[in-house]
Amino acid sequence: MAPPPMYQQIAEDLRRQIESGELEPGRQLPTELELRETHDASRNTVRDAIKRLISLGLVETKPGQGTFVTRKIDPFVTVLTPTDEGETGLGGGEGAIYLSQVKRQKRTPKVSGLKVEIQTAPAEIRNRLGLSEGDQVVLRHEERFIDGIRWSLQTSYYPLSFVTDGHASRLQTAQNIQEGTVRYLEDVMGLKQTSYQDWITARSPNDGEQKFFSIAHDGTVFEIFRTAYDQTGMPIRVTVTIFPADRNQFIVNVGRPADLGTPELDTPDLGKDAK
Amino acid sequence: MAPPPMYQQIAEDLRRQIESGELEPGRQLPTELELRETHDASRNTVRDAIKRLISLGLVETKPGQGTFVTRKIDPFVTVLTPTDEGETGLGGGEGAIYLSQVKRQKRTPKVSGLKVEIQTAPAEIRNRLGLSEGDQVVLRHEERFIDGIRWSLQTSYYPLSFVTDGHASRLQTAQNIQEGTVRYLEDVMGLKQTSYQDWITARSPNDGEQKFFSIAHDGTVFEIFRTAYDQTGMPIRVTVTIFPADRNQFIVNVGRPADLGTPELDTPDLGKDAK
DNA sequence: TAATATTTGTACGTATGTATT
DNA sequence: AAATACATACGTACAAATATT
């Protein structure tokens, strides 16, 4: 039996120390030069070990300062199914995706950096909205925070015809639509949002996402496409939301109004050692 | 302005060639020694570039053979909400999570390696099932394939009391329960599954998952906890399923029986350049 | 079967650059 | 300005896996 390579052994050793709490979150690891001596390895080998810990999300490095054990963020839990059966696909925001009420009521979501553009619809959006090649869309982009933490990036796409033919002119103004776009579209165009479909994927972040969320290039983000339909089954909006996987989880409730408890919501290490 | 480091430039250069189709899936990249010469860099620098491409999932290396452009797997799409309103939380399998009917009918799911154990319930399971510390659970573990491709790993947990007090003895036999455990529990214990809750997270694979799915150590898996409840609101099962993110996507339908189209399901590069 | 060539993996050493204290 | 710590980049050597002769 070949023994595991040295850099893996060093990584394992450090991982054990971190997960046992010996090295608590926020604390600095020994420097590369120190680890070089304590483990009797070259600096490059030590660095290989640290790279593994980075890709596991256990540590982060800061040039000129050191390597630190990652502080875990108490995860945001988003319920993808409506919490209130009264609202059919529901209310506010950018037609969006809602923060769990459970134990989140003390948290304060904020939105900033609203940007509005008009573009030729990219294929993914065009197909979901049932448009033709070359058709244009109105695009409303937001940065979303919770308690000051960067939570998600959201972009909603509407057919440009809503503005040109449907008189929903406020869609293209870079102002928040206070009553919510769902309500607004119903008021001015008679479009009722009666259903939606969420499409959930995961991938690596692009450069912009990497910077905005301060995550590693080999981290993970959820990408959720929400397509909303009116009473006739016509798609009226596509909302694409990016959530970094290190601080976001999702819940889907089926078969009940869903005020069921959410076990372990407090526990920071949920899912750590699941096998 | 500092130029980007050389290994990133080399990675970008190769990425461009891959995404433009110049280097098609399955094809071998130039060897490290060749890249060393074409890019006038050291072998280690070339290797750093390739590591980035690996973590983006664009290439994979095979010792002794070479580096190859990843063949993308046509993603499996799983619908988390019931496709048939008639069934309340629904039928077969291990009480499980169901494969989309859409365009998947030609695909053949297979299950193998059924393993049954009795364990003290780990905290995550215990809390979800409403058990006390030290309580035991019956654990049914399966490896699941689609068209021969490793699709997911699933483990279902039931309170041991179902076997000792409830006479659901077949739970602890390593045999498939043909009619489905949902039906079986209803027959022998009168437990009707009327609702469930899915809890969706993403994380790095552990060693076993890494090997089973042949994914990189810095890849991503979805981990979905499905807690099923009976008519009284009592939790009767927790099913934990691991899905590698490179070949799995999920859909949640709200507000309609949901036979809506699934745009782009055929398109292999869904979500590639979404921004 | 055995030897050989090719290709990636691990490990070392060194030098220099950049960010922070 | 100097010291510290991580980042990039080069070079070398040998091991391990695979394919070929």
Side-chain angles (χ1 to χ4, degrees):
Chain A
M1 289 293 287
M6 189 180 307
Y7 74 94
Q8 279 187 34
Q9 291 185 43
I10 299 173
E12 265 311 297
D13 186 40
L14 291 169
R15 193 171 79 102
R16 195 187 42 68
Q17 288 183 55
I18 291 169
E19 294 191 343
S20 74
E22 203 170 327
L23 285 167
E24 65 254 43
R27 181 154 153 209
Q28 181 172 4
L29 258 65
T31 67
E32 292 171 352
L33 289 182
E34 285 166 348
L35 289 171
R36 190 180 83 89
E37 293 180 358
T38 59
H39 286 85
D40 198 41
S42 77
R43 185 175 160 226
N44 281 332
T45 301
V46 167
R47 282 178 60 76
D48 282 345
I50 291 175
K51 275 178 204 153
R52 280 190 83 92
L53 299 178
I54 292 174
S55 78
L56 289 174
L58 290 175
V59 304
E60 50 193 332
T61 55
K62 300 181 188 177
Q65 298 183 66
T67 303
F68 301 84
V69 180
T70 306
R71 289 178 199 275
K72 274 165 205 51
I73 301 175
D74 184 22
F76 309 133
V77 180
T78 301
V79 178
L80 297 179
T81 44
T83 44
D84 182 339
E85 283 293 356
E87 317 190 22
T88 17
L90 21 14
E94 200 64 29
I97 286 176
Y98 292 86
L99 189 58
S100 164
Q101 298 305 324
V102 195
K103 139 106 194 179
R104 294 286 161 236
Q105 299 181 339
K106 285 171 209 140
R107 299 200 162 189
T108 55
K110 283 266 170 56
V111 165
S112 82
L114 176 60
K115 248 189 351 193
V116 178
E117 283 180 63
I118 292 174
Q119 281 187 0
T120 302
E124 293 168 331
I125 304 301
R126 189 212 314 148
N127 290 333
R128 288 186 163 86
L129 283 177
L131 302 177
S132 308
E133 189 161 349
D135 282 353
Q136 298 208 293
V137 286
V138 178
L139 176 164
R140 297 173 65 83
H141 178 79
E142 293 176 346
E143 297 172 345
R144 313 201 309 165
F145 300 75
I146 293 179
D147 289 350
I149 299 173
R150 287 158 189 228
W151 168 38
S152 63
L153 286 169
Q154 187 168 98
T155 308
S156 289
Y157 299 83
Y158 303 85
L160 183 60
S161 59
F162 284 12
V163 175
T164 53
D165 309 344
H167 314 295
S169 56
R170 282 171 64 202
L171 279 184
Q172 64 172 333
T173 62
Q175 301 278 331
N176 263 308
I177 296 179
Q178 277 300 333
E179 69 272 32
T181 53
V182 170
R183 180 69 172 282
Y184 175 63
L185 288 179
E186 184 172 348
D187 288 349
V188 299
M189 295 182 62
L191 288 177
K192 259 192 183 150
Q193 174 175 324
T194 59
S195 67
Y196 58 78
Q197 179 179 74
D198 286 331
W199 189 295
I200 305 169
T201 65
R203 57 167 173 81
S204 301
N206 63 32
D207 285 343
E209 292 155 0
Q210 210 181 112
K211 271 179 214 150
F212 181 72
F213 294 118
S214 304
I215 51 180
H217 72 277
D218 61 351
T220 304
V221 296
F222 291 100
E223 181 172 40
I224 301 189
F225 292 79
R226 172 164 291 188
T227 309
Y229 300 87
D230 74 356
Q231 62 272 29
T232 70
M234 182 184 74
I236 58 179
R237 178 187 50 245
V238 173
T239 298
V240 183
T241 312
I242 309 297
F243 299 90
D246 65 353
R247 68 198 71 162
N248 282 287
Q249 305 178 345
F250 301 92
I251 283 183
V252 174
N253 286 309
V254 173
R256 224 179 1 170
D259 53 321
L260 20 114
T262 50
E264 295 264 322
L265 200 50
D266 305 312
T267 313
D269 57 345
L270 192 155
K272 176 162 60 178
D273 256 327
K275 192 182 72 172
Chain B
M1 287 292 287
M6 191 179 305
Y7 74 93
Q8 279 187 34
Q9 292 185 43
I10 298 174
E12 266 310 298
D13 186 39
L14 290 168
R15 193 171 79 103
R16 195 187 42 69
Q17 288 182 53
I18 291 168
E19 294 191 343
S20 73
E22 204 171 328
L23 285 166
E24 65 254 43
R27 182 152 152 211
Q28 181 172 5
L29 258 62
T31 67
E32 292 171 351
L33 290 182
E34 284 165 347
L35 289 171
R36 190 180 82 88
E37 295 181 357
T38 58
H39 290 269
D40 198 41
S42 77
R43 187 178 156 221
N44 280 332
T45 302
V46 167
R47 282 177 61 77
D48 282 345
I50 290 174
K51 276 177 203 153
R52 280 191 84 93
L53 298 178
I54 292 173
S55 78
L56 289 174
L58 289 175
V59 306
E60 52 194 330
T61 56
K62 300 181 187 175
Q65 297 184 67
T67 304
F68 301 84
V69 180
T70 306
R71 288 177 200 277
K72 274 165 204 57
I73 299 175
D74 184 20
F76 309 132
V77 180
T78 301
V79 178
L80 298 178
T81 43
T83 45
D84 182 338
E85 284 293 355
E87 318 189 21
T88 16
L90 18 15
E94 200 65 28
I97 285 176
Y98 291 86
L99 188 58
S100 162
Q101 298 305 323
V102 194
K103 138 106 194 176
R104 292 287 161 235
Q105 298 181 338
K106 284 171 208 142
R107 299 199 162 190
T108 56
K110 283 268 168 54
V111 165
S112 82
L114 177 60
K115 249 189 348 196
V116 178
E117 282 181 65
I118 292 174
Q119 281 187 1
T120 301
E124 294 168 330
I125 304 302
R126 191 213 312 147
N127 290 333
R128 288 187 163 84
L129 282 176
L131 302 178
S132 307
E133 189 160 348
D135 282 352
Q136 298 208 293
V137 286
V138 179
L139 175 163
R140 297 172 66 83
H141 177 80
E142 294 175 345
E143 298 172 345
R144 315 201 307 165
F145 300 76
I146 294 180
D147 291 349
I149 298 172
R150 286 155 190 231
W151 168 38
S152 63
L153 287 169
Q154 187 167 99
T155 308
S156 288
Y157 300 83
Y158 303 84
L160 183 59
S161 59
F162 283 12
V163 175
T164 55
D165 309 344
H167 315 295
S169 57
R170 282 170 63 200
L171 278 185
Q172 64 172 332
T173 62
Q175 301 277 330
N176 264 308
I177 296 179
Q178 277 301 331
E179 68 271 31
T181 52
V182 169
R183 181 68 173 283
Y184 175 62
L185 288 178
E186 182 172 351
D187 288 350
V188 299
M189 295 183 62
L191 289 177
K192 259 195 184 150
Q193 174 175 326
T194 59
S195 65
Y196 57 78
Q197 180 180 74
D198 286 331
W199 190 294
I200 306 169
T201 64
R203 57 169 175 79
S204 301
N206 63 31
D207 284 345
E209 291 156 0
Q210 209 181 113
K211 271 178 212 149
F212 180 72
F213 294 119
S214 305
I215 51 179
H217 73 277
D218 62 350
T220 304
V221 297
F222 290 101
E223 181 172 40
I224 301 189
F225 292 79
R226 170 164 294 188
T227 309
Y229 301 86
D230 74 356
Q231 63 272 30
T232 70
M234 182 184 74
I236 58 179
R237 178 189 48 246
V238 173
T239 298
V240 183
T241 312
I242 309 296
F243 299 91
D246 64 354
R247 67 198 73 165
N248 282 287
Q249 305 178 345
F250 301 92
I251 284 182
V252 173
N253 286 309
V254 172
R256 222 175 9 166
D259 53 322
L260 18 115
T262 51
E264 293 265 321
L265 201 50
D266 306 312
T267 313
D269 57 345
L270 193 155
K272 176 161 57 178
D273 258 328
K275 194 185 69 174

